[in-house]
Amino acid sequence: MSLDLTLRNALSGIQTSQAALQTISNNIANANTEGYARKIADPSSRVVDGRGFGVEVGEIKRSVDEGILKLLRKETGVSEQLKQKENFMSQINQFFGRPEDNSSITHMISELGSQFDALAVSPESDAAQFMAVAAAEDVLREIKQMSDEVQRLRNEANTVLNATITEFNKHVEAVASINGQIINFTNSNLNATELQDQRDISLTKLSE
């Protein structure tokens, strides 16, 4: 083996070790970076005309379980869906109130029924008539207020929906753009793992 070949082999080993150390350094530096996936430098033997010619860094890969990522996105979507439902349903539930509360619509309707029963027993009683009318007015007033609140929630939901659609479209466009860049990097034999990390972030946002 010539001295030149020996030096080239040694140099390739140094360069490969340097690339591996750089990968490890990036992993440590980005340990707490959201969306960053650990990278693995995969060295491989370099062969020229059937003879060993040092070593080189092969494809740098991400240490990612795509199955878990897919499951995480699915469950993230379900979780966000339930959060939105809970947000609006809890507000509607406040309008109805608890049946045992005097201010709840259930109690008011029950009270109206009681006043109608009393009125049926003594239809000529001014007090019974007054109480029945007052109970009916309380129910109508509460229903009107509940209707106004539900309409407010509907408008709020529409506002949130419009903002969400805008956000969704933004991330869809980002994924499409990143996919194009990944294809270009791959065709040029360039490392596209950082772009894949960015795509994962956008996909996670989409799942929300």
Side-chain angles (χ1 to χ4, degrees):
M1 182 181 293
S2 67
L3 178 60
D4 180 65
L5 182 58
T6 301
L7 290 176
R8 287 178 181 272
N9 288 344
L11 180 60
S12 70
I14 293 174
Q15 291 173 335
T16 300
S17 297
Q18 184 180 23
L21 287 173
Q22 182 62 49
T23 301
I24 294 173
S25 175
N26 285 337
N27 289 336
I28 295 173
N30 291 282
N32 296 319
T33 301
E34 181 183 2
Y36 181 85
R38 185 170 68 91
K39 309 300 187 300
I40 300 175
D42 187 18
S44 60
S45 297
R46 181 187 299 163
V47 179
V48 178
D49 293 332
R51 298 177 60 187
F53 195 68
V55 66
E56 62 183 357
V57 176
E59 179 184 2
I60 295 180
K61 301 177 180 179
R62 302 190 308 154
S63 178
V64 173
D65 189 320
E66 294 294 344
I68 292 179
L69 271 182
K70 182 178 180 180
L71 180 60
L72 174 62
R73 291 172 189 140
K74 178 181 178 181
E75 296 304 322
T76 297
V78 172
S79 174
E80 291 299 322
Q81 179 188 33
L82 293 176
K83 284 181 183 179
Q84 290 299 322
K85 283 188 176 181
E86 194 277 334
N87 176 39
F88 285 96
M89 293 300 182
S90 63
Q91 294 183 67
I92 292 177
N93 189 51
Q94 290 179 0
F95 306 154
F96 282 90
R98 298 181 301 176
E100 63 270 21
D101 293 340
N102 292 337
S103 59
S104 70
I105 186 64
T106 302
H107 178 83
M108 291 182 180
I109 292 176
S110 177
E111 179 65 19
L112 176 60
S114 298
Q115 296 303 330
F116 277 152
D117 289 342
L119 182 61
V121 174
S122 304
E124 73 286 351
S125 170
D126 290 342
Q129 294 173 11
F130 175 82
M131 293 299 292
V133 170
E137 288 177 342
D138 287 342
V139 171
L140 290 175
R141 183 169 55 253
E142 185 67 15
I143 291 176
K144 172 63 169 56
Q145 182 177 353
M146 290 175 62
S147 175
D148 291 342
E149 291 295 334
V150 170
Q151 184 60 45
R152 180 187 65 80
L153 283 178
R154 173 181 289 180
N155 293 335
E156 180 182 335
N158 286 335
T159 300
V160 172
L161 183 59
N162 288 332
T164 301
I165 290 174
T166 300
E167 186 76 5
F168 181 88
N169 289 335
K170 182 183 74 174
H171 290 301
V172 168
E173 291 173 359
V175 170
S177 175
I178 293 172
N179 279 338
Q181 295 178 61
I182 290 175
I183 292 174
N184 291 334
F185 271 53
T186 302
N187 291 338
S188 302
N189 293 322
L190 297 175
N191 179 19
T193 54
E194 300 297 337
L195 290 172
Q196 291 171 339
D197 285 350
Q198 294 177 29
R199 181 176 60 185
D200 280 348
I201 293 175
S202 292
L203 288 173
T204 299
K205 295 296 183 181
L206 275 176
S207 69
E208 296 174 0

